[in-house]
Amino acid sequence: MKLNATSLLAPHALAIMLSALLVDAARGDQSLTQSDLLSRVIDVERLMFPAAAPDATRVQSGAVGAGDSTAPKPDPEGWTTIYSAEGAGYVARIFFAAPGGELRISIDGAPAITAPLTNLFDGKIAPIEGPITHRTSPGGAGVCYFPLGHAKNCRIDVRNTNSSYQISGVRSQRPIAAFSSRLDDAGRETLEHVNKTLAGGYSEKRLFAGKKLMPVLGSGEIKPGDALTEQLDGAGTIRALYVNFPDRRPTLIPGLLHQVIVRIFFDREAEPAVEAPLPDFFGSGLGIQDCAGLLCGTRKWIDVPADRVNQNEFCYAYFPMPYRKGVRIEFKNQSDTKIELTYFLRVQLGEPPESALRFHARFRRDHPLKTSEYLCVDTTGPGRFLGLVLSADSPRYDWWGDGGETIRIDGKEAAHSADFAYAVGDVAPLHLISTALHGATRVATAGKSSAYRWHLSDSMCFDKSLRVTLGAPAGAKNDLYLSSVAFWYAPPDAKHKFRPLKSEDTNLTTLRLPGAVEIEGNVVGEGWGREVKQRDAMGVEYSAGSAALIESTSAVAIDIPVAKARSAKLKLRVNAIRGFDRIEVTDISGKPIGSAVFSREQTTGIYEIGAIELKSGANRVRVICSKPAVLDCWLLE
């Protein structure tokens, strides 16, 4: 028997698609206006529905400039076409790693924008202004999320440009109003609202307007191995999920909250649709850091209807989570420390729309990565891919993201980033930045990093399958640790390749730094101070999990053991939060090697001391701290 694409779909998926078709039929052929397209930049509601005739998002990427033999060839006037699309649609995202040269955007056969390329990201092309377009760092990579609609076609050309680029385009089955630099009243009002939302997050009054929401509040002390659970019966939609920690001390212990797992079970399913370490679920991989993402984040002040909450700063998630036969939320403490946790839900009771998909967020990791690619998600549809939180732990200074990211929709490549940094709107090494739609909450040239990217106006719709992978970096040596949480919507019976999390899946390694030589355990004699553990580090992560508190202001002898004789550049890592004043380092005879003077600008806590000649075995130096200081490790380069 010959099967067509529809007959391959599971019953739930077929019902959802038919329901979505009826919804679109009711809309008719009404054109999507500029205001409609702008709304999509922040519209979370539409994400939980499949497109009846999917808005196909595809990314065209590459590089232009001298020396790149694979780059498109310029025309006689020097213009190079880097993007073209036929039919109705819109450009949802434009990224350039190193903006420069000239830009020309043609809409429906006529020039719409001709300007220096930098103007696009610096807010100098009206009406493309505000947070909807910006630089990731001063003078750095540029990202523009202003939707450029076209009824018939679109082409983007550049000249005198030397940069990698990514352009996300969405092909629409509905008519699209062509971009105009002159917005009508509705467009101006929507743009103002979108920019305000991108800058400061959702206005809950506007986000929840017209919805009758039931508050659900719970709190408790979770002992090691126990769980805090909330069970709701019937049908409804979770509109917001908030979590905070009345006792903030656990948030300052690196890796502790990563061992708290959030699980959400919809419709009495035995397997959770959501299963992830709590910080990663809220957009901050590997631990609670500042995250101001639009869909989720870690710093939101809300009014909670209870006096027992000590403070009102919450982690937050605004993913709509529909259910029909109840929902169960579980916070499981897999650490060895009791944790006090408060959760708050805003729930819309009643049957969700028939076509509503189920929300999914699943964690996986490879410690270490041993294959040519890292699998983020592999699932069936129909559905929408929302985005990713990706974290890396590398003990080397080599950039770990140069293998790129690939998104395959229904078996075909829909997007490819030559470098993962491009996918999150940046260039390597990542910059510490948290914006509404992309960011990096933790960055390090070596050590631990985490970044996120949300697809709203360019959400990836799929009928049959979705597969997202990250390529292994060049020169990978089986020492790169990768982990991720993938976010998507799919039918209740969609299949995926995630396995249940085990307790060891949430344990984090101590900080791994190339060339690190521990100081604790190598201090000679007594009376110098004491070893301090990770729990007393005030949020700073120590190499090997501990450090040496030097309390003496007299010279202290410290050995630097090495396996082979070598010349090295000697650096010292200290606790960056605890100030120290001045640290002198000499050889054992008193000859100066170098010194470190405390600076609040040195947030890494790493100070260059000077050149040193090392022999095989223990090399003794003398350290004089003008006031007590916490010394973590030496770094030899």
Side-chain angles (χ1 to χ4, degrees), residues 244-284:
N244 86 348
F245 307 93
D247 181 356
R248 303 292 291 179
R249 286 174 295 180
T251 67
L252 298 178
I253 302 176
L256 181 61
L257 293 182
H258 198 264
Q259 297 179 70
V260 177
I261 302 298
V262 55
R263 294 186 175 97
I264 304 179
F265 301 79
F266 298 116
D267 304 325
R268 304 171 191 164
E269 292 286 341
E271 183 177 356
V274 174
E275 186 178 42
L278 189 146
D280 302 56
F281 174 76
F282 288 108
S284 178

Side-chain angles (χ1 to χ4, degrees), residues 294-599:
L294 188 61
L295 298 180
C296 63
T298 59
R299 298 286 189 267
K300 184 79 172 182
W301 285 87
I302 62 171
D303 292 326
V304 176
D307 295 330
R308 54 183 169 147
V309 178
N310 291 340
Q311 46 84 27
N312 288 356
E313 187 179 60
F314 282 75
C315 298
Y316 61 91
Y318 291 118
F319 309 102
M321 304 182 199
Y323 58 92
R324 298 185 181 281
K325 300 177 183 178
V327 59
R328 177 164 60 92
I329 302 177
E330 173 185 292
F331 301 97
K332 179 69 176 291
N333 181 8
Q334 297 184 163
S335 77
D336 60 359
T337 303
K338 65 181 179 180
I339 295 172
E340 187 178 357
L341 182 146
T342 297
Y343 62 86
F344 178 49
L345 311 175
R346 299 190 194 272
V347 182
Q348 182 180 11
L349 298 180
E351 290 284 337
E354 185 65 32
S355 58
L357 300 168
R358 295 299 178 269
F359 173 69
H360 294 76
R362 294 296 295 261
F363 173 87
R364 72 176 306 276
R365 75 175 193 175
D366 280 350
H367 278 203
L369 178 65
K370 297 180 179 179
T371 59
S372 61
E373 66 176 18
Y374 171 78
L375 177 64
C376 301
V377 59
D378 191 342
T379 187
T380 60
R384 290 181 188 261
F385 176 57
L386 304 187
L388 188 69
V389 174
L390 180 73
S391 303
D393 179 356
S394 174
R396 292 178 285 120
Y397 289 111
D398 300 329
W399 168 235
W400 50 266
D402 61 2
E405 178 196 51
T406 302
I407 301 175
R408 299 186 67 84
I409 301 293
D410 300 334
K412 298 180 180 179
E413 183 176 299
H416 176 71
S417 301
D419 193 306
F420 174 72
Y422 303 163
V424 295
D426 205 351
V427 294
L430 296 176
H431 297 82
L432 191 65
I433 182 175
S434 182
T435 70
L437 301 178
H438 67 260
T441 57
R442 184 169 184 164
V443 298
T445 51
K448 297 175 181 177
S449 301
S450 185
Y452 63 90
R453 161 87 155 93
W454 302 120
H455 299 263
L456 273 82
S457 62
D458 60 341
S459 60
M460 297 285 186
C461 300
F462 54 97
D463 281 337
K464 303 174 186 177
S465 64
L466 165 73
R467 182 179 174 88
V468 181
T469 58
L470 189 76
K477 299 178 180 178
N478 289 341
D479 57 3
L480 174 63
Y481 296 171
L482 293 176
S483 63
S484 61
V485 179
F487 299 79
W488 76 99
Y489 282 93
D493 54 0
K495 306 300 180 183
H496 59 72
K497 295 184 179 180
F498 289 91
R499 61 170 178 79
L501 292 186
K502 300 178 181 179
S503 59
E504 57 265 29
D505 292 328
T506 62
N507 294 333
L508 297 181
T509 58
T510 55
L511 187 62
R512 300 182 300 159
L513 296 173
V517 178
E518 297 309 314
I519 293 177
E520 71 281 3
N522 286 308
V523 185
V524 180
E526 299 179 351
W528 54 267
R530 58 189 173 87
E531 182 176 341
V532 289
K533 298 297 184 181
Q534 189 65 75
R535 291 176 179 271
D536 303 316
M538 299 179 291
V540 174
E541 188 169 9
Y542 290 146
S543 171
S546 59
L549 171 58
I550 306 298
E551 296 175 315
S552 174
T553 57
S554 301
V556 175
I558 301 176
D559 286 339
I560 304 177
V562 295
K564 295 181 180 180
R566 55 177 292 197
S567 300
K569 180 188 295 182
L570 182 65
K571 295 183 177 182
L572 174 64
R573 185 173 189 265
V574 304
N575 187 318
I577 292 179
R578 181 166 179 163
F580 59 83
D581 193 18
R582 186 180 183 89
I583 299 173
E584 301 279 353
V585 182
T586 73
D587 64 17
I588 197 62
S589 69
K591 181 180 178 181
I593 297 174
S595 62
V597 178
F598 178 72
S599 170

Side-chain angles (χ1 to χ4, degrees), residues 66-83:
D68 191 336
S69 60
T70 64
K73 302 301 180 184
D75 66 16
E77 296 182 354
W79 290 100
T80 299
T81 300
I82 60 173
Y83 176 86

Side-chain angles (χ1 to χ4, degrees), residues 98-109:
E102 301 171 75
L103 170 70
R104 183 175 66 190
I105 301 179
S106 301
I107 302 289
D108 297 341

